[in-house]
Amino acid sequence: MRLLKLVPDNTNLKFVALRKWAFGLTLALSLIAVGLVVTKGLNMGVDFVGGVLIEEKFATPPSIDAVRSEVDRLGVGEAAIQSFSDPKTLSIRLPLPEGGDEGATNRLVKKVSDDLAVKFPGATFSKYDTISGKVSDELISKGLLAVGLAILGIALFAVVRFEWQFGVSTVVAIVHDLLMTLGFFALTGFEFDLNIVAAVLTIISYSINDKIVIDDRIRENMRRYRKMDMREIIDLSVNETLPRTVMTSVTILLALVAMLVLGGHVLRGFTAAMILGIVVGTYSSIYVSSSLLITLGLRAEPTPGKANAADGAERVGPKTPRA
Amino acid sequence: MLDFPRWKVASIIGLLAVLCALAIPSFFPESTTSKWGAIPHPRINLGLDLAGGSYLLLEADTADLANSRLEVMRDSVAGTMRNGTPRIDIGDISSRNGQLSFLLRDPSQVDAARERLLAITGGGAGMSGQREWDISVVDTSRFILKPTEAGLAQAVDTAMKDATEVVRRRIDELGTKEPTIIRQGATRIVVQVPGLQNPQALKDLIGKTAKLEFKLVDESANPADVAKGIAPIGSQVLPYPGDPRGAVALKRSVVISGDQLADARQEFDQQTNAPQIAITFDAVGGRRFAKVTTENVNKPFAIVIDNKVISVANINEPILGGRASISGSYTVQTANDLAIALRSGKLPVNLKVIAESTVSPDLGKDSIRAGVLASVIAAVAVIVFMLVTYGRFGVYANLAVVINILVIVAVMAMLNATLTLPGIAGFVLTIGTAVDANVLINERIREERRRGRSVLQSVELGYKEASRTIFEANVTHAITGVIMLLLGSGPVKGFAVVLLIGICTSVFTAVLFTRMLVALWLRKNRPTTINI
């Protein structure tokens, strides 16, 4: 049986040659993303900003998903719907309406309860209450601290295991991936809830994995071809790892697209974020983190002490000049 | 490469078989597994979003809060009048009918007294810009302090904010991961916990106010009066079963309160081996404790929790290290519960359970069904894709991935971890990196073959070179995971748990297990060419 090869043997694409253009594009997109997040903001879900809780009694136990799609149709934001031990009672959590004053809240409650009363005969609205978000300020600040420290930890690891340039370029690339994802959410207005936080973490982790694989190959080739120009080494490394990059991205995308198409409405934002993240992460591994190494002045001769002991002896050379 | 001794093969297969078996109970409903009796059946917990759970609606006792606010004000009024210069003598101080009133001995001090009142009531205007207390003077010398509605609402709001945090900390301490805790309306808190894990224990823990105080025993009190419940001025009588009179008189002023606690843990008394609670004060509390115990050597002091005297002990010598222990008739369970309540801080307001129920999952049943279907189709797609790309090596990789999934489930079940949607994200990523590990290895083998190396050499180098990359990638993942586990909470933590488990299991299955399979095949067939 002939096996499938996604990338032909001896592929040699000139990635590095395009890096000036790529940097321009990356910078422009990043600025746009920041602009979008600042001007449009993220559509923070009820998990974060709190909202309104409506308790609705139905004549017969309703299908939660039918109620959900009905509430969605009203365009009042993503609803979190739960039933109690008494399956005829549903709690519907909705984000705060624009303005957030009492009048607006009352109008929102009336709109939803009137609509449900029409669509589900016998449904009566029993009460409503304002509610806080699931996430306290403490949780948000600690979460952000965790992500920040994790990125820093990775940078330190890259500096220790590789060269300092790898640390810097990895952090720049991760920040780029984060900005792109947040920009995407600001642009589309998809609701940003707790599950999206998990999706963002996944994106960061995937992206790190991708970068380490390429970085590792660059380091290997730097040792193997000490006289080679850095551009060629990076092109070679990216091309050598290309079959793996494509293969892994395609398998994960395959899984995610299946989730996007079949996973239903609730998982949509979550999977969309992950798909975007895979694409952006792969792009940034090649065009941001790898290409940035040249700009940061990485040279083929390793710094003394960084090479491993076995072949270190013949490699002692002048300290890496910093450009 | 081929050196896989029989014992190694046996132990790898044995370990994986046991772990896979431990994953099985998680695929059956609880009603089935509970009948298994002696057979171990650890189960993975599904989070609120996937399986629903218990629901409690708590309401704050606002009348009680208003009362204690009045009591606090009464103490601070008495304090500022007495301790300021000049001293202002007051009398007939009472907090009744929701207001505080007191009499000025010298009516000419009205203005000075009002000055001081304004200072302790926040200058008359609180954070909201509204007055928190109305101050009025009747009959030239009687002051009346009435809490304003805005002030009370503000106090309730602050108390509820703190109470929500305390409740969250207590539930987290129970080891129940990813509860939902939201404030509803002005005075209620909704608590949802995954599964139906003993709602009574949950209620007991949440209901504890856990107000801890250290007070000195008033030795001047007349024992006969104490028995009647009458205390000298500046003291109070509190019930204490350990005393023959059933009560004990304590100085009203609090020596140290639970706010100055840094930690509380259950431990065992070294002599009697009885469970007790070890508490550690923070720097300020430790200094105070040292000072008070130094000044009061040979005098008795009392540990009071929720206005009940837990124990009265004699101060034999100054206690300097900022550590103390509370003994009483505790079981390990009650001591542990109390320790949790103490270190999570005191509830600023009493909470009452006003409704309990079970709730359905956040994600609808249809969504979950769709998600499961999508995952199955995704898995099939990945498996087919790996097969057509790597042939025999794809079969090995697929086998490793399936076993990896089972092993993660088993480990999570044994750790009693909760799986939620963020956890599934971690799962997807883990599977992704596990597939990636095999992709890295297989691509490397292809590369070495292209360079003209022999089958054996290619496979050997493929595993060796790729293992280094996989190691680097996993260490970075582990760094991320550990930091997120230590600092994060909620979804960040849920994600980190799965990530960390996945790192360990996927290295084992994707690298070691497939390598064993490849080695066994190579040894048996000695192929001169491979289809990869």
Side-chain angles (χ1 to χ4, degrees), chain B residues 459-471:
Chain B
V459 174
E460 175 123 38
L461 269 174
Y463 270 92
K464 195 179 144 225
E465 298 290 329
S467 294
R468 195 196 51 234
T469 315
I470 295 165
F471 168 78

Side-chain angles (χ1 to χ4, degrees), chain A residues 97-125:
Chain A
E98 258 348 272
D101 58 300
E102 212 165 306
T105 309
N106 281 328
R107 280 196 298 280
L108 167 74
V109 173
K110 194 168 155 35
K111 187 171 170 184
V112 174
S113 53
D114 285 354
D115 184 76
L116 288 178
V118 174
K119 291 287 155 42
F120 299 87
T124 50
F125 150 77

Side-chain angles (χ1 to χ4, degrees), chain A residues 47-69:
Chain A
D47 284 355
F48 286 102
V49 291
V52 189
L53 183 141
I54 301 173
E55 207 176 279
E56 187 88 10
K57 278 205 190 328
F58 292 81
T60 51
S63 144
I64 294 183
D65 290 277
V67 177
R68 190 194 312 279
S69 57

Side-chain angles (χ1 to χ4, degrees), chain B residues 396-412:
Chain B
Y396 296 155
N398 285 332
L399 205 56
V401 166
V402 172
I403 291 177
N404 193 14
I405 293 173
L406 291 178
V407 171
I408 295 176
V409 170
V411 174
M412 286 189 75

Side-chain angles (χ1 to χ4, degrees), chain A residues 1 85 130 139 219-220 248, chain B residues 185 357 436 444 472 489 531:
Chain A
M1 187 175 80
S85 334
T130 55
L139 291 191
R219 183 179 56 177
E220 187 186 326
T248 300
Chain B
S357 176
D436 186 50
R444 199 72 196 219
E472 306 276 7
S489 46
N531 190 13

